[in-house]
Amino acid sequence: MELRETKIKAPSKISKYVNIIISIAIYMALSISLKDVAEDRILIILGREISLQTFRGVITQLQMLISVYLVLTENKPGYIVSVILNIYNTIMAILFMNNIKSPTALPGVISYVGVLSIITLIIFYKEKMTDYITEIVNQKKTLEESEIKLHRMAFYDLLTDLPNKELFINRLEQNIYLAKRNGSLIGVMFIDLDSFKSVNDTLGHSAGDTVLKTVAKRLENCLRKGDTVSRLSGDEFLVQISNIEKIEDMQKVSTKIMDIFKKPFHVQNIEFVITASSGVAVYPVDGEEPETLIKNADIAMYSVKGKGKNQCVYCSTKIKNDVVKKLKMKNHLYRALDNHELFIRYQPQVKADTKEIIGFEALLRWNNSEYGIVSPNVFIPLAETTGMIIPIGLWVFKTVCEQCREIFQKDYRISINLSLEQLKDENFIKNISKILEDTNAIASNIQIEITENIAFNEEPYVLQRITELKNLGITIAIDDFGTGYSSFSRLKTFPIDLIKIDMEFIQGLSQNTHKEKEIVKSMIRLAKNLGIDVLAEGVETEEQYAFLRDEMCDEIQGFYFYKPMILEDIKSILYNQTN
Ligand code: C2E
Ligand code: CA
Ligand code: CA
């Protein structure tokens, strides 16, 4: 089909004013018809005798009609023309009266002046009406605009312009309805960016926003028209892929989606890579309702976070069961304190050169009737997510202070592990001071262990609480050193007394590779240069110990010397050491 451009001609000036021109012509013709007519003439019109007075009246009425017509149809130009014509006629009528020295034309003059006021009134009200109409039209426009805005706010994410959760669920409901009829599958993918917080923290929030917008664009571009991508909140995205026949097709799409993170991001002239963890739930296997599908995709995504991130995992029975198990365990943990199921083991730490015990690390244990002895690696994260870590952490601190009264007297150091959640607690320092006071513990013999990630956390409360702990006399150790995120400037300014090299590096020493040894050596050198003591964790062999001792590592902790033990065993070891 050929499309031709058609031009609509603008009306020419003459045709535009044709009404006015015709009206002027009629108006003038009517005026001329009266010109020089003797005062006492009787006119014969259509075979009837009509007096000049009557004829003049009829003409004036017709001219009035033309004036009103012009104002109504031609607005301003019509008004100007009528005013000129009526003034002209008024003057002519006055001159006529003057000529014939008779007031016969006086009603005509009054009529013309009357017409002038009527048309002035008409134009005035017409303009007012136009103003009102423009105002109404404008108000309607703003109303429509705000309606569109409200709709966007209700159903779209303002930052990325993607549909929000509400609209996502709406569309998912419709797709489920269709899938029920044609037996197809729907995939719901939950995507969470890995360590997005560090982008915000290091490059600023506007850089973070740029990354989110770029992710949104890339996701949109790799999907088909009927699929929806939505931003849930922060760095979480949801994707629904409908009309899928086999699970293999779904896997191809999810791989394509994960591939968008392989391309680097560019912000503020910096190039960097951001990975993502994602989970997929498939309709109808993993749920038949939008909320269930989203929840199961979230669970699958969460399982990726625990497995090193940067992967896509499909929801499975095992994943779902694990969640149920965790939930059950959480319920047990809530009662652990009241049921006296928690206890502490102490692992000695020795001086590298003399092998003499100088301190202990307090390590928490949970003995539950159903699960047996549970590793802190399992239950501490649960306690952290439920807030249970606050009372549990205080219990640890208090129990250590009570149990170690004798040990403190002999000037041994006791280390206690601390979670970030505990530092967030506003009452933390107040509670710790009270325990120290109540138990008469010697603060300078207590050491707090925090991981690198806590120490280098930029939140102001972290440094504040740590400084307050130091002011109480407590010393600070950086735990699991080398595994987290650290900066040299922070190392210099943060009040650190001991660096604990993570076990991972010590076990690496046994592989006898040059690289592992160099890493440990440089960690020891770094600590020495900063004037901080250094301890090696997880020392299990003579060979590891010998290497560390030769490299001037100050302290050793590990199964090679001692395993974590109950207090009674510690006491007898100390008794033997002093005797
Ligand atoms: P962590 O602070 O790094 O504690 C050292 C862990 O290494 C302990 O595990 C200890 O038993 C183990 N270990 C010590 N020497 C060796 C060795 O030579 N070889 C091997 N393979 N392992 C060794 P544990 O007791 O299971 O504690 C695990 C983690 O749980 C701790 O890691 C710590 O992060 C956390 N944790 C323990 N107690 C507490 C506590 O009271 N509060 C908090 N917030 N966390 C705690
Ligand atoms: Ca520790
Ligand atoms: Ca450690």
Side-chain angles (χ1 to χ4, degrees):
M1 196 174 68
E2 192 190 336
L3 284 176
R4 270 213 212 118
E5 200 182 338
T6 48
K7 270 192 188 152
I8 299 168
K9 265 194 193 161
S12 74
K13 272 248 163 77
I14 294 187
S15 57
K16 195 173 151 200
Y17 291 121
V18 79
N19 270 351
I20 295 180
I21 293 164
I22 292 172
S23 302
I24 294 174
I26 298 173
Y27 198 101
M28 293 314 288
L30 288 170
S31 294
I32 288 162
S33 70
L34 285 175
K35 206 162 183 256
D36 298 334
V37 180
E39 189 60 2
D40 49 358
R41 276 272 297 274
I42 297 291
L43 303 167
I44 312 285
I45 294 170
L46 298 170
R48 279 172 176 252
E49 288 187 355
I50 291 172
S51 77
L52 182 68
Q53 301 285 8
T54 316
F55 180 66
R56 215 172 243 155
V58 172
I59 297 288
T60 317
Q61 299 293 326
L62 287 174
Q63 287 181 329
M64 271 170 80
L65 278 178
I66 291 174
S67 299
V68 171
Y69 165 79
L70 276 176
V71 178
L72 286 178
T73 57
E74 303 297 332
N75 295 334
K76 265 263 161 66
Y79 171 67
I80 293 166
V81 169
S82 329
V83 166
I84 294 169
L85 289 174
N86 280 288
I87 289 175
Y88 165 79
N89 267 1
T90 313
I91 294 167
M92 291 313 279
I94 292 169
L95 288 178
F96 178 70
M97 280 196 302
N98 198 36
N99 258 357
I100 60 167
K101 307 277 185 256
S102 154
T104 40
L106 196 59
V109 173
I110 296 168
S111 296
Y112 291 128
V113 174
V115 173
L116 276 172
S117 13
I118 289 171
I119 56 172
T120 307
L121 277 177
I122 291 176
I123 197 82
F124 175 73
Y125 280 106
K126 228 178 135 186
E127 268 182 13
K128 238 187 168 170
M129 282 303 282
T130 327
D131 286 351
Y132 286 148
I133 290 168
T134 330
E135 205 175 301
I136 290 170
V137 169
N138 283 345
Q139 276 179 1
K140 197 175 155 224
K141 230 164 101 189
T142 356
L143 222 78
E144 279 168 359
E145 276 168 9
S146 44
E147 212 171 291
I148 293 171
K149 238 190 215 160
L150 270 168
H151 181 266
R152 281 215 83 75
M153 271 161 73
F155 293 108
Y156 287 85
D157 167 45
L158 295 181
L159 177 73
T160 58
D161 257 349
L162 290 179
N164 65 8
K165 191 179 175 188
E166 200 128 344
L167 186 55
F168 184 88
I169 290 179
N170 262 340
R171 293 189 185 166
L172 189 52
E173 271 166 356
Q174 284 168 23
N175 281 332
I176 288 174
Y177 177 74
L178 292 175
K180 243 181 209 150
R181 296 209 312 200
N182 61 24
S184 60
L185 305 173
I186 303 169
V188 172
M189 190 167 179
F190 198 113
I191 305 169
D192 187 293
L193 306 187
D194 299 329
S195 31
F196 175 70
K197 198 180 166 289
S198 63
V199 175
N200 268 341
D201 288 350
T202 49
L203 297 176
H205 282 266
S206 83
D209 286 353
T210 312
V211 169
L212 291 175
K213 282 191 219 164
T214 315
V215 171
K217 271 271 120 37
R218 288 187 190 176
L219 283 171
E220 264 184 325
N221 290 344
C222 84
L223 292 174
R224 292 172 310 178
K225 246 207 160 105
D227 301 333
T228 299
V229 49
S230 145
R231 185 165 84 116
L232 203 56
S233 66
D235 60 345
E236 293 173 338
F237 294 86
L238 273 175
V239 178
Q240 60 179 291
I241 304 126
S242 53
N243 244 328
I244 297 279
E245 271 183 27
K246 339 184 260 304
I247 199 82
E248 292 79 27
D249 297 341
M250 182 68 226
Q251 279 156 351
K252 275 182 206 153
V253 183
S254 55
T255 310
K256 206 168 106 190
I257 290 175
M258 289 304 279
D259 282 349
I260 68 160
F261 294 101
K262 287 188 176 157
K263 240 173 53 189
F265 290 80
H266 296 267
V267 178
Q268 297 164 1
N269 286 330
I270 300 171
E271 185 184 286
F272 55 91
V273 175
I274 286 186
T275 58
S277 302
S278 67
V280 180
V282 178
Y283 166 89
V285 199
D286 300 315
E288 299 194 23
E289 307 276 318
E291 291 293 352
T292 320
L293 287 165
I294 293 171
K295 190 192 80 197
N296 282 334
D298 186 9
I299 289 172
M301 183 281 292
Y302 210 75
S303 75
V304 179
K305 291 279 183 196
K307 279 193 288 187
K309 307 176 181 178
N310 192 20
Q311 276 175 64
C312 173
V313 159
Y314 278 63
C315 187
S316 66
T317 321
K318 187 186 171 304
I319 289 176
K320 280 185 260 187
N321 286 346
D322 281 353
V323 172
V324 177
K325 255 195 234 162
K326 261 191 193 160
L327 212 77
K328 229 176 99 191
M329 198 177 249
K330 268 184 200 170
N331 285 334
H332 279 278
L333 189 60
Y334 274 117
R335 278 172 257 127
L337 265 179
D338 289 343
N339 291 351
H340 307 288
E341 293 172 0
L342 299 178
F343 66 99
I344 294 168
R345 283 206 170 132
Y346 296 89
Q347 185 177 28
Q349 299 163 329
V350 302
K351 265 187 100 168
D353 45 5
T354 61
K355 299 185 183 178
E356 157 201 13
I357 294 177
I358 43 166
F360 305 88
E361 177 173 3
L363 294 160
L364 186 58
R365 296 287 177 267
W366 177 25
N367 188 5
N368 179 264
S369 54
E370 193 169 330
Y371 306 111
I373 302 235
V374 189
S375 159
N377 287 325
V378 174
F379 73 86
I380 295 283
L382 282 187
E384 284 171 345
T385 54
T386 53
M388 282 293 290
I389 194 71
I390 307 283
I392 290 179
L394 285 176
W395 179 87
V396 172
F397 202 87
K398 184 161 172 260
T399 310
V400 168
C401 288
E402 282 169 354
Q403 290 186 339
C404 298
R405 218 167 270 153
E406 278 174 56
I407 299 175
F408 285 137
Q409 298 301 325
K410 295 184 182 130
D411 240 13
Y412 291 106
R413 183 186 69 203
I414 314 276
S415 311
I416 299 170
N417 291 285
L418 208 70
S419 293
L420 181 64
E421 301 307 312
Q422 290 173 267
L423 287 182
K424 281 184 192 162
D425 177 19
E426 281 178 8
N427 296 320
F428 178 67
I429 296 295
K430 200 179 78 196
N431 290 332
I432 294 293
S433 317
K434 172 126 196 347
I435 293 172
L436 289 175
E437 215 179 283
D438 292 349
T439 57
N440 266 327
I442 303 163
S444 58
N445 286 352
I446 298 177
Q447 187 159 72
I448 289 293
E449 294 193 6
I450 51 171
T451 60
E452 247 174 315
N453 288 342
I454 300 177
F456 299 111
N457 185 311
E458 299 283 344
E459 299 285 354
Y461 67 83
V462 172
L463 187 58
Q464 188 196 327
R465 301 272 144 80
I466 296 296
T467 313
E468 283 166 344
L469 280 176
K470 287 247 18 162
N471 292 342
L472 289 176
I474 293 173
T475 56
I476 309 293
I478 300 294
D479 205 358
D480 304 344
F481 189 78
T483 59
Y485 167 79
S486 45
S487 81
F488 288 115
S489 61
R490 186 85 166 174
L491 265 181
K492 260 193 342 205
T493 52
F494 207 77
I496 304 166
D497 301 281
L498 181 77
I499 281 179
K500 296 183 78 177
I501 302 178
D502 191 70
M503 218 183 299
E504 183 189 316
F505 301 98
I506 309 304
Q507 320 244 280
L509 292 176
S510 304
Q511 290 160 11
N512 217 3
T513 59
H514 179 67
K515 209 167 107 194
E516 308 291 331
K517 285 188 173 156
E518 279 311 309
I519 292 173
V520 174
K521 267 198 222 171
S522 58
M523 281 186 193
I524 296 173
R525 221 171 299 135
L526 172 72
K528 298 261 158 206
N529 286 342
L530 293 168
I532 302 168
D533 283 345
V534 57
L535 177 148
E537 275 191 302
V539 177
E540 289 181 352
T541 65
E542 161 72 30
E543 180 201 4
Q544 290 163 355
Y545 163 66
F547 174 82
L548 291 159
R549 183 199 53 211
D550 295 346
E551 290 304 326
M552 309 298 282
C553 179
D554 301 295
E555 302 173 18
I556 305 286
Q557 178 181 345
F559 296 172
Y560 177 67
F561 288 102
Y562 302 99
K563 287 198 169 175
M565 290 175 269
I566 53 167
L567 191 69
E568 269 50 50
D569 294 343
I570 293 290
K571 281 182 181 163
S572 60
I573 288 176
L574 289 183
Y575 179 82
N576 291 338
Q577 185 170 288
T578 42
N579 295 295

